[in-house]
Amino acid sequence: MTINAQFYVLKHDNEPDAKLPAHFDLAARTAAAQYRAGQRVFIYVDNVADAHAIDEHLWCFDADSFVPHNLQGEGAKGGAPVEIGQTPPVGRRSVLINLATKLPDFIRRFTQVYDFVPSEPEATQAARERFKHLRQLGASISTKEIEN
């Protein structure tokens, strides 16, 4: 099974008053689009604070379209269509949205991966490492520049 990976390269830093990193907003929009396309999505994060941040953003980022989601351990037994967490997801999911510094050990579970290259130097270097790792796994990788 081949992994298709899409890296979004963000060209600018956040606005000074931004409450959420730009790539978190893009991740929420990507999750919403994938949900509307009928996909089950897992958003992988580094820590509980990031999980809560993306969870809150999914509740309020687009007033016209609700995205059913939950943090790991919450909600129905099989999980919502969009699940957020740090450990392997509940049930089968084909789409991974990576907000973590590294790729998860369970990356091969997914056929589609979305990842982000923020403009901050440390985050850019971490994204390069994730890119290399995906290439080593034989993933089909594409990039898209985002004017944020």
Side-chain angles (χ1 to χ4, degrees), residues 56-136:
E56 286 298 317
H57 194 57
L58 280 167
W59 279 113
C60 63
F61 87 101
D62 188 350
D64 296 327
S65 62
F66 173 69
V67 177
H69 67 281
N70 63 265
L71 296 170
Q72 281 183 315
E74 295 180 348
K77 184 178 177 182
V82 176
E83 184 179 26
I84 305 162
Q86 299 169 261
T87 59
V90 172
R92 185 161 155 65
R93 295 174 186 276
S94 58
V95 177
L96 171 72
I97 297 176
N98 186 49
L99 289 176
T101 306
K102 295 184 178 184
L103 293 172
D105 294 337
F106 49 90
I107 186 74
R108 291 185 185 270
R109 288 185 174 195
F110 304 95
T111 57
Q112 180 66 53
V113 174
Y114 292 94
D115 208 319
F116 307 89
V117 184
S119 60
E120 297 84 15
E122 280 185 28
T124 300
Q125 183 56 41
R128 285 187 183 120
E129 295 302 318
R130 294 190 304 273
F131 186 97
K132 286 181 202 173
H133 185 192
L134 282 164
R135 188 172 40 197
Q136 290 170 349

